């Protein structure tokens, strides 16, 4: 809740930077309900909020799709899971946004939506949808240009996904690199540890939580 405190106002950033100046190792963990992936408009909003948070807070951030076991609670996803975790070409969402903006007339028509009297109303709706699609295209381009947004995935009842998220957080805040003073931290060895191929990192999750669906 109160996401505007993280996306628009400097108060949280100032508090976090004060803690960092006192030697605390911090990272931001941004949780997003995975079922937002089933709605192109919602997922595009998620991308924009996530990017805004990363730019505003100016600190290491781990983004996670939570409740992965409910990822298809509102229907099958149009893409494979790696599209949503790696944010591959967000512009691929635009045809789905267009389909939602221009539904078949029979799907939305009511008694007052027939005949010539309804034509100006339909034209108004189409004009709004067209402007909205242009805005969506600009947001997709912005997210793609920054190239910062990506997601891990967790299900609270699944120990494997929780352990993977913990490792990502430990790397982001520097915990896994050891003390800043004293013995060598073995930075390169730690950074290279636990490397996973995409089919291990995402493919197994897709099979377990999505039944291998998507496109």
């Amino acid at each position: 809740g109160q996401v505007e405190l993280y996306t628009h106002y400097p108060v949280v950033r100032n508090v976090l930077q004060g803690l960092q100046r006192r030697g605390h190792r911090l990272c931001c963990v941004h949780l997003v309900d995975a079922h937002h992936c089933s709605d192109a408009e919602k997922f595009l909003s998620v991308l924009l909020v996530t990017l805004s948070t990363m730019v505003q807070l100016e600190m290491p951030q781990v983004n996670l799709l939570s409740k992965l076991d409910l990822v298809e609670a509102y229907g099958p996803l149009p893409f494979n899971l790696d599209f949503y975790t790696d944010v591959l070409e967000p512009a691929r969402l635009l045809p789905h946004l267009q389909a939602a903006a221009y539904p078949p007339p029979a799907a939305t028509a009511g008694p007052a939506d027939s005949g010539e009297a309804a034509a100006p109303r339909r034209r108004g709706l189409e004009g709004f949808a067209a402007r909205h699609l242009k805005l969506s295209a600009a947001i997709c381009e912005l997210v793609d240009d920054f190239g910062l947004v990506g997601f891990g995935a967790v299900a609270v009842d699944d120990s494997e996904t929780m352990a993977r998220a913990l490792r990502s957080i430990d790397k982001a805040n520097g915990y896994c690199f050891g003390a800043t003073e004293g013995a060598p931290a073995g930075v390169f060895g730690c950074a290279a540890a636990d490397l996973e191929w995409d089919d291990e990192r995402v493919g197994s999750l897709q099979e377990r939580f999505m039944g291998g669906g998507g496109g």
Side-chain angles (χ1 to χ4, degrees):
Q2 301 298 316
V3 69
E4 64 273 8
L5 295 176
Y6 303 89
T7 59
H8 291 77
Y9 297 101
V11 58
V12 174
R13 181 185 62 196
N14 293 341
V15 170
L16 295 175
Q17 289 179 346
L19 292 172
Q20 288 177 317
R21 285 193 295 270
R22 287 164 173 79
H24 296 281
R25 295 179 179 179
L26 304 176
C27 77
C28 173
V29 180
H30 181 62
L31 296 174
V32 177
D33 285 356
H35 68 76
H36 288 319
C37 298
S38 63
D39 187 315
E41 293 179 339
K42 290 182 179 179
F43 188 68
L44 187 59
S45 299
V46 163
L47 295 180
L48 185 58
V49 169
T50 302
L51 178 60
S52 298
T53 303
M54 298 178 76
V55 172
Q56 174 74 4
L57 293 183
E58 299 178 344
M59 63 183 301
Q61 180 163 319
V62 176
N63 305 311
L64 297 172
L65 296 175
S66 63
K67 304 177 184 176
L68 190 61
D69 52 320
L70 302 178
V71 66
E72 292 190 319
Y74 295 92
L77 304 188
F79 302 106
N80 288 331
L81 186 60
D82 61 350
F83 171 83
Y84 302 96
T85 57
D86 298 341
V87 191
L88 304 169
E89 301 180 52
R92 292 168 63 190
L93 293 169
L94 294 177
H96 297 275
L97 293 170
Q98 186 172 14
Y102 298 105
T108 57
D113 293 326
S114 59
E116 296 182 359
R121 178 175 178 271
R122 287 197 297 270
R123 285 196 297 269
L125 290 173
E126 291 173 356
F128 174 82
R131 291 192 297 271
H132 184 70
L133 285 173
K134 290 180 181 179
L135 175 61
S136 298
I139 293 173
C140 289
E141 184 177 0
L142 177 69
V143 172
D144 204 28
D145 286 346
F146 269 89
L148 295 176
V149 181
F151 295 92
V154 294
V156 69
D157 294 329
D158 186 81
S159 60
E160 180 182 332
T161 60
M162 295 298 291
R164 185 181 290 113
L166 182 60
R167 289 196 297 269
S168 297
I169 294 168
D170 285 345
K171 285 184 179 180
N173 65 15
Y175 176 81
C176 74
F177 300 130
T180 56
E181 299 177 358
V187 172
F188 294 106
C190 181
D194 300 318
L195 289 177
E196 296 178 295
W197 298 104
D198 282 346
D199 59 347
E200 296 175 342
R201 182 176 58 86
V202 180
S204 63
L205 298 179
Q206 172 134 350
E207 292 178 0
R208 289 158 55 198
F209 296 103
M210 297 175 57

